[in-house]
């Protein structure tokens, strides 16, 4: 019986979003499997082309005699890329997308960016010959050649930039001396270094270069020059340039914790507390016996989760394996990267959205070639092509940034677990406020739970006070700053300490709330707030229910009802007017537009260049400022009423994470939470930093409503520039799904407008399907995809699926 393979041609050719069938030769049977990268003859000329095996079958798609044969398995890509291809196929089936979309997500760098080369001028003459040549050039009064040869006699290898820059030597002179055999110009491919790491290199080199003679310091501006100095015999000078934590000292595993090898210049090893050490020891003990280990590290803010991550990464390296650390993009700052770079040095790299195409390509190539062992970055770093992946760590795993908004709409946590299963790598989730999905999984045995109940440095959690802004209004205070927060800000500034003011803008102006009694206008059919549209109408984005705009509160009759109108710029103006002596930094989308805007602001605040940092969610994501003793949380309850069943969870996480920024140093911290709903369980439990109590209350609501993680929900998002066409398409799709609902026993909501019903002139609708069994939702998704494929009317309608 013949065996055939359905193959997707290299995804750099977007027009080939279809499969081609090839015969599997006898010698590859039993070896070839879905996910393999193969070389196949393609096109009229049968040129060798790379492809991805999607499926094996015994049924030919057309005449067997016309089917070509697979050439070979591409063995140099048989490891990482084949496994990533298999991961893409799973994502296609689970989340719903085309094969090309899934492959482009997992294998994003198909075309090589222009390479970057480093040139070095090398002396080819012996010392005696060089001296003789120098005397000859002096007699000829060839000043440029004399200047160059003198420099090469002192330093036989010189960077090209120094020769053409500082020495002012032209390319014509270099070419002439090269033809005479005096020198050679060597070229070497070099990787582009992300700016965060370049900054670390510059600072550490600056510290080392202070002890060097000026003649040796000249021109040594980058880490690659260290090797050039060594090659020229200047070992002592190179050692002077060695920077702390540059990876030169090997990691040694002693059975309990990882420590630096003797003589290494790296940061002193830290001592783990009992809870940290227990987590490290248990995970490492299971390393060989449970290669598919999945763990949840739940630690209060400041409990030292990062130290645990570093110990686990060090253990992976000691086993000859590699590590991926995912952190929210906003936390990828100089301050955080520095801790890992000083520990692991030049075996580490980073990814983030503001890298150039060339920088991104180079980081993936370094990983593919085995030049690095650790990748740090947001969710895209999950697809780093490591050959020996041993551990995937997701820090702040509750963050929404781990969910992709592009097709396929995947969640990094779920994909990390799948990649871990494919590559026998451990997966560690960490958070002070775990997602309900992760904690629910730990309760059910999917993850092993480790608790870090206290702060690593021994400090206490901050004292939290809750201010009822309804009472402030009744007492005549209409300011955004409560009287208690104002008083504490005065005290903080008078003692020379720092503070952060967090404006919770999640759900900004999206709902209608009474400032007198805190009443929020909700949908009578769904447990979510109605959203206020520009025409004033109130709409539910789950079921489509609409109401007329309200002028007075239906509960207390107050006229103080409407959306929240303050932004960070207004807050900055109010604070500057109240405290003119204070130095203020503002961090929001407007002030962080530059390539390194986030890092620059956070670095300045860390260096005590400001007293107050004002910002939105981006200022409360894992940052550690020891001098911050006060955190003010403004409009804490805005996020409670967005059209999302996770609203209470998101609010609790934001408030807890924001409060955790205070008192992380030696001085105690204070937090003021300003809210119109001080009795809401998300606010109450955040104030007491009590995750378990919040979880128990929230999961009971999820079970009653059938929402994740107690149940499953499939979102089907439809978009079009033609509003009428979209209404018709979503209506037909809704009717088809309702007809199928009886068979699959699911419940259907919608179609309804999305929370934002139009973006860039593109109209948006959504249909939700609910059932406790995710497998039924996937089956219905597959059936819906077939229906869409069969109907040409959907060719101009954008359709995206989103699981849970």
């Amino acid at each position: 019986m013949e065996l055939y393979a359905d193959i997707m041609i290299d995804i750099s050719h977007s027009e080939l979003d279809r499969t081609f069938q090839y015969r599997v030769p006898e010698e590859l049977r039993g070896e070839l499997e879905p996910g393999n990268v193969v070389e196949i003859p393609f096109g009229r000329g049968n040129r060798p082309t790379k492809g991805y095996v999607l499926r094996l079958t015994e049924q030919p798609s057309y005449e067997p005699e016309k089917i070509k044969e697979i050439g070979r398995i591409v063995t140099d890509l048989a490891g990482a890329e084949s496994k990533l291809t298999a991961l893409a196929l799973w994502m296609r089936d689970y989340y719903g997308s085309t094969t090309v979309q899934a492959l482009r997500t997992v294998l994003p760098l198909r075309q090589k960016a222009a390479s970057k080369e480093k040139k070095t001028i090398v002396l080819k003459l012996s010392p005696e010959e060089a001296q003789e040549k120098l005397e000859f050039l002096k007699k000829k009064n060839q000043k440029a050649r004399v200047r160059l040869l003198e420099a090469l006699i002192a330093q036989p290898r010189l960077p090209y930039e120094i020769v053409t820059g500082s020495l002012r030597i032209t390319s014509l002179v270099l070419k002439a001396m090269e033809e005479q055999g005096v020198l050679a110009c060597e070229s070497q491919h070099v990787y582009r270094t992300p700016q965060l790491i370049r900054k670390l290199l510059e600072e550490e080199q600056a510290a080392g270069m202070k002890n060097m003679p000026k003649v040796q310091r000249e021109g040594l501006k980058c880490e690659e020059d260290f090797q050039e100095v060594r090659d020229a015999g200047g070992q002592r000078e190179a050692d002077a340039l060695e920077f702390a934590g540059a990876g030169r000292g090997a990691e040694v595993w002693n059975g309990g914790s990882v420590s630096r090898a003797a003589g290494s210049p790296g940061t002193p090893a830290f001592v783990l507390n009992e809870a940290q050490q227990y987590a490290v020891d248990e995970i490492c003990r299971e390393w060989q016996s449970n290669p598919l280990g999945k763990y949840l590290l739940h630690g209060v803010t400041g409990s030292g989760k990062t130290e645990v991550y570093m110990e686990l990464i060090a253990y992976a390296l000691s086993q000859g394996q590699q590590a991926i650390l995912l952190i929210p993009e906003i936390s990828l700052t100089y301050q955080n990267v520095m801790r890992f770079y000083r520990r692991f040095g030049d075996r580490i790299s980073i990814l983030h959205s503001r890298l150039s195409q060339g920088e991104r390509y180079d980081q993936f190539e370094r990983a593919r070639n085995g030049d690095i062992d650790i990748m740090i970055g947001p969710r895209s770093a999950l697809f780093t092509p490591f050959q020996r992946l041993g551990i995937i760590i997701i820090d702040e795993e509750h963050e929404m940034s781990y969910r992709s908004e592009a097709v396929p709409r995947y969640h990094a946590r779920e994909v990390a677990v799948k990649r871990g299963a494919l590559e026998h790598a451990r997966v560690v989730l960490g958070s002070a406020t775990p997602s309900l999905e992760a904690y629910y999984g730990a309760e059910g045995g999917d993850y092993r739970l480790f608790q870090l109940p206290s702060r690593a440095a021994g400090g206490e959690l901050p004292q939290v006070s809750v201010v009822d802004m309804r009472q402030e209004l009744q007492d005549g205070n209409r300011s955004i700053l409560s009287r208690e927060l104002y008083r504490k800000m005065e005290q903080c500034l008078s003692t020379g300490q720092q503070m952060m003011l967090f404006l919770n803008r999640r759900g900004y102006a999206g709902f209608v709330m009474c400032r007198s009694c805190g009443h929020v206008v909700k949908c009578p059919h769904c447990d979510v707030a109605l959203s206020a549209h520009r025409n004033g109408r109130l709409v539910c984005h789950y079921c489509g229910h609409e109401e007329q705009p309200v002028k007075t509160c239906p509960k207390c009759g107050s006229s103080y009802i409407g959306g929240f109108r303050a932004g960070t710029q207004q807050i900055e103006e109010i604070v500057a007017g109240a405290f003119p002596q204070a130095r203020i930094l503002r961090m929001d989308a407007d002030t962080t537009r530059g390539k390194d805007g986030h890092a620059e602001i956070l670095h300045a605040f860390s260096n005590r260049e400001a007293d107050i940092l004002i910002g939105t969610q981006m200022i409360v994501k894992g940052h550690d400022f020891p001098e911050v003793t006060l955190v003010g949380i403004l409009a804490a309850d805005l996020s409670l009423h967005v059209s999302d069943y996770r609203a209470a969870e998101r609010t609790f996480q934001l408030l807890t994470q924001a409060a955790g920024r205070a008192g992380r140093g030696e001085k105690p911290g204070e937090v003021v939470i300003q809210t119109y709903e001080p009795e809401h369980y998300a606010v109450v439990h955040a104030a007491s930093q009590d995750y378990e109590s919040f979880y128990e209350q929230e999961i009971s609501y999820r079970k009653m409503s059938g929402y994740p993680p107690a149940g499953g929900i499939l979102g089907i998002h439809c978009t079009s520039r033609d509003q009428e066409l979209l209404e018709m398409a979503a209506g037909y799709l809704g009717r088809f799904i309702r007809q199928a609902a009886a068979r699959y026993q699911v419940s259907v909501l919608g179609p309804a407008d999305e929370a934002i019903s139009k973006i860039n002139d593109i109209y948006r609708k959504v249909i939700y399907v609910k059932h406790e069994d995710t497998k039924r939702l996937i089956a219905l998704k597959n059936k819906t995809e077939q229906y869409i494929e069969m109907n040409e009317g959907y060719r101009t309608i954008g359709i995206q699926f989103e699981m849970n």
Side-chain angles (χ1 to χ4, degrees), residues 637-681:
D637 39 33
L638 273 187
S639 53
L640 279 174
H641 305 294
V642 295
S643 297
D644 188 341
Y645 65 87
R646 292 187 175 96
E649 180 186 5
R650 300 286 178 243
T651 300
F652 173 82
Q653 290 166 343
L654 278 171
L655 300 188
T656 305
Q657 293 286 341
R661 301 313 106 201
R664 297 173 74 94
E666 297 179 356
K667 301 166 186 172
E670 291 184 292
V671 179
V672 178
I673 298 177
Q674 298 186 169
T675 175
Y676 289 93
E677 294 193 53
E679 68 284 349
H680 194 284
Y681 65 96

Side-chain angles (χ1 to χ4, degrees), residues 175-186:
K175 183 178 180 181
M177 295 184 72
E178 188 173 21
E179 291 173 348
Q180 295 171 10
V182 176
L183 55 84
C185 183
E186 297 180 353

Side-chain angles (χ1 to χ4, degrees), residues 564-630:
F564 189 79
R565 297 299 175 189
T568 50
Q569 187 171 356
Q570 289 87 346
I571 302 300
E572 181 183 22
E573 293 171 358
I574 292 170
V575 172
F579 305 100
Q581 77 280 15
R583 299 169 299 166
I584 302 173
L585 283 173
R586 176 166 57 92
M587 187 172 177
D588 54 24
D590 292 330
T591 62
T592 56
R593 294 186 187 279
K595 185 172 184 179
D596 294 290
H598 299 99
E600 291 171 0
I601 293 173
L602 293 171
H603 192 54
F605 191 63
S606 180
N607 287 342
R608 298 298 307 269
E609 296 174 23
D611 306 303
I612 304 173
L613 176 61
I614 300 172
T616 54
Q617 284 81 358
M618 59 183 68
I619 73 171
V620 300
K621 304 299 177 72
H623 307 307
D624 192 348
F625 301 111
E627 298 302 317
V628 170
T629 58
L630 175 63

